[in-house]
């Protein structure tokens, strides 16, 4: 199978590089490259720039404002964004909700919500996980009871990423508590987060950041027209959504950039007076993760080529999710090892014990500990790796 770029694909890559070079704001690039957290303003400014270019919803059908890019072209775009310091568009609206509305929503919902997603004007959060209902999502307890032309929603969601910025949240809610199977009593509904009874409570994570939240619903009135598709069919729509989410979780472009950063770090840091990269033990670990990443990249390219030919990727998305999350975690483990005391989740200053002026620029930006802690989650969300292995077994072995 030919995995090298065609002439047209190489030309597309050149166009992407030119656009990013000319359009990516410097403050956003610096924040992204240094491993910092983007503000809401930075996210939305970049989304608007992409929207004006027509590139904010690359995998949508053209009739709904998509680019018409092939899967290979999207992979090129994704990789160049990471390489040049451009943030990915937040997936909750573009990669998750948008395709659900396009495939299962009605015309009024598409007309109402898709423009705000394309422009980035509307900030969407995802309301799936609950205490006691994470990987076992079908056991969720948030209830939506029909009352005339509204639903009354009560319950709690947790680990709601960037929900503190949210205008809207798409939720899985239980609409039939007596269903024979718990999956058949779940619906997919859109909730205005400015509604009375919605409360967002911050969760401060181990790295000291406010990235995730609890969201509480107390007698929240939601118009029945905000139900997506059919009542009690939400599990079907959620499975469709998660299939898209898992492919992105492989994070190959991000891992490639982290490998480059790790090599710079290992070349700058010293062990016994020599660059760490020359230490046999560390070099062996570095080579191993680079080989794993190369194999992951080739598997992803093979899947993209097969998808373009109309073939079903089958269990490959689950395989990519598992190996992609493991490679990303391993890269940050090695960055922790290479950074030494600079891996601490504070920014070192001149005069601190062990300060080295030669390493200051590289290590001060490593932020290895916060990112190491943050990447522990990626083998859990989007369907834990253990569950993905079960999916692979069922699809490939029949049990």
């Amino acid at each position: 199978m030919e995995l090298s770029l065609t002439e047209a694909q190489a030309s597309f890559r050149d166009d992407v590089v030119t656009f990013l070079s000319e359009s990516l704001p410097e403050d956003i690039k610096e924040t992204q490259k240094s491993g910092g957290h983007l503000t809401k303003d930075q996210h939305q400014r970049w989304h608007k720039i992409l929207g004006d270019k027509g590139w904010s919803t690359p995998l949508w059908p053209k009739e709904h404002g998509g680019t018409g890019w092939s899967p290979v072209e999207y992979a090129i775009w994704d990789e160049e964004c990471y390489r040049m310091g451009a943030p990915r568009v937040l997936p909750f609206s573009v990669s998750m909700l948008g395709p659900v509305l396009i495939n299962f929503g009605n015309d009024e919902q598409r007309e109402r919500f898709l423009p705000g997603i394309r422009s980035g004007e509307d900030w969407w959060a995802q309301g799936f996980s609950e205490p006691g209902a994470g990987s076992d999502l079908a056991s969720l307890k948030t209830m939506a009871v029909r009352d005339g032309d509204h639903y009354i929603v009560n319950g709690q969601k947790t680990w709601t990423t960037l929900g503190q910025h949210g205008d809207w949240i798409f939720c899985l809610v239980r609409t039939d508590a007596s269903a024979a199977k718990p999956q058949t009593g779940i619906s997919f509904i859109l909730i205005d987060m400015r509604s009375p009874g919605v409360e967002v409570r911050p969760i401060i994570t181990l790295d000291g950041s406010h990235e995730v939240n609890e969201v509480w619903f107390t007698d929240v009135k939601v118009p029945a027209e905000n139900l997506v598709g059919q009542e009690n069919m939400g599990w079907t729509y959620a499975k469709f959504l998660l299939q898209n989410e898992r492919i992105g979780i492989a994070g190959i472009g991000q891992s490639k950039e982290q490998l480059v950063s790790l090599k710079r770090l290992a070349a700058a840091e010293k062990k016994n007076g020599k660059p760490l990269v020359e230490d046999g033990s560390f070099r062996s670990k570095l080579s191993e993760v680079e080989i794993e990443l190369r194999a992951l990249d080739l598997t992803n390219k093979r899947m993209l080529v097969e998808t373009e030919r109309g073939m079903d990727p089958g269990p490959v998305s689950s395989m990519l999710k598992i190996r992609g999350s493991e490679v990303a975690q391993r890269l940050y483990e090695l960055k922790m090892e290479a950074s030494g005391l600079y891996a601490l989740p504070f920014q070192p200053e001149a005069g601190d014990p062990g300060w080295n002026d030669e390493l200051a620029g590289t290590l001060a930006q490593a932020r290895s500990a916060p990112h190491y802690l943050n990447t522990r989650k990626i083998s859990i969300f989007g369907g834990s790796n253990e569950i993905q292995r079960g999916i692979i077994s069922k699809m490939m072995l029949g049990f």
Side-chain angles (χ1 to χ4, degrees):
M1 179 178 293
E2 179 58 53
L3 295 178
S4 60
L5 296 182
T6 66
E7 183 176 341
Q9 290 165 348
S11 177
F12 174 77
R13 182 187 290 274
D14 291 340
D15 291 341
V16 168
V17 170
T18 298
F19 169 73
L20 292 175
S21 299
E22 296 175 349
S23 304
L24 178 61
E26 192 63 28
D27 69 302
I28 295 177
K29 178 179 178 179
E30 289 179 1
T31 302
Q32 190 78 357
K33 282 286 191 178
S34 68
H37 294 289
L38 295 175
T39 65
K40 180 178 182 179
D41 172 71
Q42 287 175 316
H43 275 297
Q44 291 190 308
R45 271 196 289 131
W46 179 234
H47 196 128
K48 185 178 187 306
I49 290 169
L50 293 176
D52 292 343
K53 176 71 171 176
W55 285 8
S56 62
T57 53
L59 293 181
W60 290 13
K62 294 189 73 171
E63 60 267 29
H64 293 291
T67 59
W69 290 349
S70 69
V72 172
E73 288 171 330
Y74 177 76
I76 291 170
W77 162 253
D78 192 57
E79 187 170 315
E80 289 300 327
C81 281
Y82 278 119
R83 187 180 68 82
M84 299 185 69
R88 299 175 77 187
V89 172
L90 288 172
F92 312 110
S93 57
V94 171
S95 303
M96 299 180 190
L97 177 61
V100 169
L101 292 177
I102 289 170
N103 285 273
F104 303 108
N106 57 43
D107 289 340
E108 290 181 358
Q109 290 170 340
R110 286 188 284 267
E111 183 177 348
R112 180 182 178 189
F113 294 114
L114 293 186
I117 294 176
R118 287 194 301 267
S119 68
E121 182 179 354
D122 293 334
W123 188 294
W124 284 87
Q126 179 185 19
F128 278 22
S129 295
E130 300 181 5
S135 295
D136 183 19
L137 188 57
S139 63
L140 65 88
K141 294 181 172 59
T142 296
M143 289 293 301
V145 178
R146 185 68 180 260
D147 182 17
D149 57 359
H150 285 79
Y151 286 93
I152 306 300
V153 179
N154 284 279
Q156 176 191 2
K157 297 294 180 179
T158 193
W159 309 123
T160 307
T161 302
L162 299 179
Q164 69 269 29
H165 302 319
D167 301 307
W168 289 81
I169 184 170
F170 56 91
C171 287
L172 292 181
V173 295
R174 188 162 300 286
T175 44
D176 185 356
S178 62
K181 292 180 62 178
Q183 292 90 339
T184 59
I186 292 173
S187 296
F188 194 108
I189 197 166
L190 313 177
I191 302 176
D192 188 337
M193 294 185 73
R194 295 153 293 196
S195 302
V198 178
E199 180 184 2
V200 179
R201 302 179 186 175
I203 299 174
I204 304 303
T205 53
L206 278 173
D207 63 1
S209 66
H210 177 197
E211 183 185 24
V212 290
N213 306 268
E214 297 176 324
V215 180
W216 292 77
F217 304 98
T218 304
D219 294 330
V220 178
K221 293 184 64 175
V222 181
E225 63 194 33
N226 288 6
L227 175 75
V228 176
Q230 299 178 43
E231 189 172 88
N232 299 325
M233 288 292 292
W235 191 253
T236 297
Y237 313 145
K239 289 193 295 182
F240 172 85
L241 180 152
L242 289 171
Q243 184 78 5
N244 291 331
E245 181 185 13
R246 286 170 191 148
I247 295 174
I249 290 174
I252 295 170
Q254 183 177 23
S255 288
K256 285 184 175 182
E257 186 60 23
Q258 289 307 315
L259 179 63
V260 171
S261 174
L262 174 59
K263 287 181 175 181
R264 281 200 305 266
L265 203 59
E269 180 62 281
K270 297 290 193 300
K271 181 178 181 180
N272 298 326
K274 296 182 179 180
L276 179 61
V277 73
E278 296 180 12
D279 176 75
S281 175
F282 189 86
R283 187 171 64 245
S284 177
K285 298 172 188 176
L286 183 61
S287 298
E288 182 179 352
V289 74
E290 185 168 8
I291 290 169
E292 291 285 349
L293 179 54
R294 177 61 174 163
L296 180 69
D297 188 30
L298 289 172
T299 301
N300 185 59
K301 285 184 169 67
R302 175 170 56 82
M303 184 201 70
L304 293 172
V305 171
E306 291 176 350
T307 301
E308 285 194 347
R309 295 175 178 175
M311 301 172 65
D312 185 349
V316 176
S317 64
S318 291
M319 293 167 61
L320 289 171
K321 194 273 179 179
I322 293 171
R323 296 304 295 145
S325 61
E326 292 173 343
V327 166
Q329 289 173 344
R330 183 59 176 149
L331 284 165
Y332 276 108
E333 289 170 4
L334 291 177
K335 290 189 81 171
M336 288 277 284
E337 182 177 339
S339 298
L341 67 89
Y342 292 98
L344 294 173
F346 61 82
Q347 294 298 294
E349 298 179 0
D352 286 346
W355 176 264
N356 182 324
D357 288 334
E358 181 182 349
L359 304 177
T362 301
L363 295 181
Q365 294 184 9
R367 301 185 180 178
S368 302
H371 288 293
Y372 166 80
L373 294 170
N374 197 280
T375 55
R376 306 321 296 168
K377 69 186 180 185
I378 61 177
S379 53
I380 300 173
F381 69 54
S384 72
N385 285 6
E386 290 76 13
I387 286 183
Q388 298 311 308
R389 290 185 175 94
I391 292 173
I392 293 169
S393 297
K394 185 174 182 179
M395 295 183 71
M396 298 187 71
L397 304 176
F399 60 83

